[in-house]
Amino acid sequence: MWLRQGEERGSQPRPKVSEMPLPQKKRWVSMAKGLVLGALFTSFLLLLYSYAAPPLHAGLASTRTPEGTAPCSPAPGESEAPAPANRSAGGCQPRRDIVFMKTHKTASSTLLNILFRFGQKHGLKFAFPNGRNDFDYPAFFARSLVQDYRPGACFNIICNHMRFHYDEVRGLVPPNATFITVLRDPARLFESSFHYFGSVVPFTWKLSGRDKLAEFLQDPDRYYDPNGYNAHYLRNLLFFDLGYDSGLDPGDPQVQEHILEVERRFHLVLLQEYFDESLVLLKDLLCWELEDVLYFKLNARRASAVPRLSGELYRRATAWNVLDARLYRHFNASFWRKVEAFGRERMAREVAALRRANERMRRICIDGGRAVDAAAIQDSAMQPWQPLGAKSILGYNLKKSIGQRHAQLCRRMLTPEIQYLMDLGVNLWVTKLWKLIRDFLRW
């Protein structure tokens, strides 16, 4: 009888040892290595970030740039509110000094693109962040965070994400600069923020159900930790972005004082739900041309990733974000007063003209005429930044053959924020490093 290799005559056959199939074993080893490398890279990045970013709850006094009044600052006693566009019988002059307080999840990336294009077209001076695409958010803004900042420096446009600090921003722009921001229905904003940022808010990891948003809203106090990492994304985010305490008691008199302060400081508060009407008011305020406010919707989520809040959940989300709800109600009312002053019929005509012009550009610029999933975007320069662990943000493919007259405008209108910032010469080394890590780990 033939003996198998390694057997001796008369010995009993050895029992077979169950072994993991080789491909499966390699896969587990690869995953383990990936987890170890991911942990090391993440630790390195967090350490790097801790040196680069000021503390989240730093007081306003601690973030003030240590210098005297800058030449751009208003004279003592000057009104906070920006002056309206200078009009005369012969028309008005386009305004070029603009502060856009960029709020989160409010169509602000679309408005940012409009400002980038206008500033680039007219050779204006932007105050850009240094290393990242925001001003060390969620820390308060400080002038020293501006790329290549020097005491006394003056800028035309400030428009990247920040936690607003009026005095610090005021010192960077001329006295007649126009301040604008944009708000959104707080329940809808909360829904969008929960789906976009939820994976980087650790207390949401306790949610085990399929519909984590609904589970959270059933008993938000059970999960919410106001001192938790990134907790600001999930309660009164508008109030927080505007520089106020998002945890104030709704009955505190400061809530109404802050709302009135926003009204004094900002010449126009746009509404995301009425974006076209908002742009018509903005165009009128700034004395711009129709071409200056053309847009394509940027940074939008695909429909399957956007479950709509039901009536009861909508009410719960509004109640959970009650400070933002009060802010929104106030400026929703003031917005329609501005529309009435502008003229309803005139507004309807100008909105129709804007939509016709946008539709014309869509036909000229966009391959297929619509936004597509990230996997279908052919040019990496058109690939938008995605939330961690998902690819839910849509982008566009630029048509291959566009006439010389529109080629540049089409590309600029479709370019996502990060790529546009790089085109404008912004140093984004932290953002680029984070992208390399995410790509390596396939996050």
Side-chain angles (χ1 to χ4, degrees):
M1 181 173 62
W2 294 99
L3 296 178
R4 294 177 183 172
Q5 187 176 359
E7 283 188 12
E8 294 181 6
R9 189 179 299 274
S11 64
Q12 295 296 320
R14 295 178 184 176
K16 291 184 178 180
V17 178
S18 176
E19 292 187 1
M20 186 183 293
L22 191 58
Q24 187 178 353
K25 184 176 181 181
K26 285 184 176 180
R27 186 164 63 249
W28 280 104
V29 170
S30 177
M31 287 174 65
K33 287 180 178 178
L35 286 171
V36 171
L37 285 171
L40 290 172
F41 271 125
T42 304
S43 299
F44 169 72
L45 192 68
L46 289 172
L47 180 64
L48 192 67
Y49 180 85
S50 68
Y51 281 103
L56 168 59
H57 297 291
L60 290 179
S62 67
T63 61
R64 184 182 294 276
T65 301
E67 61 181 74
T69 302
C72 281
S73 299
E78 183 178 329
S79 171
E80 286 183 334
N86 47 331
R87 298 182 180 277
S88 65
C92 59
Q93 293 296 317
R95 298 186 68 82
R96 299 185 175 189
D97 301 315
I98 303 157
V99 173
F100 171 42
M101 173 50 227
K102 187 177 189 292
T103 48
H104 285 85
K105 314 314 297 176
T106 58
S108 60
S109 293
T110 302
L111 190 50
L112 189 74
N113 181 274
I114 289 172
L115 293 171
F116 283 169
R117 287 176 4 232
F118 184 84
Q120 191 174 26
K121 177 181 176 181
H122 296 283
L124 303 182
K125 187 177 182 182
F126 287 91
F128 282 130
N130 187 24
R132 299 162 42 164
N133 61 311
D134 60 58
F135 290 105
D136 280 8
Y137 183 89
F140 281 104
F141 176 81
R143 278 172 271 179
S144 57
L145 298 173
V146 174
Q147 180 173 294
D148 300 325
Y149 173 74
R150 296 290 181 272
C154 233
F155 299 88
N156 299 114
I157 298 177
I158 307 175
C159 54
N160 289 82
H161 275 308
M162 66 171 76
R163 189 173 186 199
F164 192 58
H165 185 330
Y166 178 77
D167 292 336
E168 286 291 294
V169 173
R170 200 72 189 87
L172 289 173
V173 291
N176 63 345
T178 302
F179 281 60
I180 61 173
T181 190
V182 58
L183 306 182
R184 182 182 183 183
D185 178 311
R188 302 299 179 201
L189 185 149
F190 172 77
E191 177 188 27
S192 180
S193 185
F194 190 95
H195 288 296
Y196 192 92
F197 296 113
S199 62
V200 294
V201 183
F203 64 70
T204 66
W205 302 346
K206 305 176 203 171
L207 299 163
S208 56
R210 185 171 179 272
D211 190 344
K212 294 188 175 187
L213 176 63
E215 185 180 350
F216 178 84
L217 286 173
Q218 292 302 324
D219 188 6
D221 288 311
R222 175 184 172 189
Y223 302 103
Y224 185 74
D225 175 7
N227 298 314
Y229 181 70
N230 282 337
H232 60 279
Y233 285 122
L234 298 187
R235 193 171 199 187
N236 297 312
L237 182 54
L238 293 172
F239 234 65
F240 183 89
D241 283 355
L242 288 164
Y244 302 121
D245 181 357
S246 56
L248 281 174
D249 186 284
D252 192 317
Q254 289 184 85
V255 175
Q256 185 62 18
E257 290 170 10
H258 292 333
I259 292 171
L260 295 177
E261 188 172 65
V262 173
E263 188 169 50
R264 289 196 304 272
R265 290 175 171 176
F266 288 85
H267 201 277
L268 179 63
V269 176
L270 297 80
L271 300 182
Q272 186 260 1
E273 291 80 6
Y274 303 98
F275 197 66
D276 290 345
E277 291 85 351
S278 294
L279 289 181
V280 168
L281 291 178
L282 181 67
K283 179 175 78 75
D284 182 65
L285 172 68
L286 299 177
C287 196
W288 285 7
E289 300 298 326
L290 178 63
E291 182 181 299
D292 297 325
V293 294
L294 298 180
Y295 71 93
F296 297 129
K297 191 175 182 180
L298 301 178
N299 213 35
R301 290 182 295 159
R302 66 172 179 266
S304 61
V306 192
R308 302 296 291 174
L309 289 173
S310 68
E312 177 58 27
L313 289 179
Y314 176 88
R315 287 189 289 275
R316 287 177 179 270
T318 302
W320 178 245
N321 295 278
V322 64
L323 305 186
D324 280 1
R326 286 181 59 179
L327 178 77
Y328 183 82
R329 280 196 298 268
H330 180 94
F331 285 102
N332 185 50
S334 68
F335 179 85
W336 292 109
R337 288 195 295 270
K338 290 180 187 295
V339 170
E340 289 292 344
F342 185 83
R344 291 268 183 173
E345 291 184 6
R346 180 186 171 200
M347 174 62 74
R349 288 195 304 272
E350 296 214 17
V351 165
L354 173 61
R355 290 173 179 171
R356 284 194 302 270
N358 281 335
E359 174 61 20
R360 177 171 174 268
M361 292 306 297
R362 183 189 67 79
R363 293 195 301 268
I364 292 171
C365 301
I366 300 174
D367 188 24
R370 61 182 180 84
V372 296
D373 284 335
I377 299 172
Q378 299 162 10
D379 184 352
S380 62
M382 295 291 148
Q383 189 71 245
W385 186 267
Q386 299 289 345
L388 197 64
K391 292 207 170 182
S392 57
I393 303 301
L394 302 174
Y396 298 92
N397 285 314
L398 192 66
K399 275 190 173 179
K400 300 291 190 298
S401 56
I402 301 174
Q404 187 175 357
R405 179 183 173 190
H406 295 104
Q408 185 182 75
L409 178 58
C410 285
R411 175 164 285 278
R412 289 178 178 179
M413 288 181 70
L414 292 172
T415 300
E417 175 183 343
I418 301 298
Q419 291 90 322
Y420 211 141
L421 284 167
M422 290 191 287
D423 288 348
L424 292 171
V426 182
N427 173 15
L428 294 178
W429 72 270
V430 175
T431 303
K432 288 179 181 177
L433 176 61
W434 180 228
K435 185 179 185 305
L436 284 172
I437 293 169
R438 287 185 57 179
D439 289 348
F440 177 78
L441 299 174
R442 297 182 181 178
W443 282 352

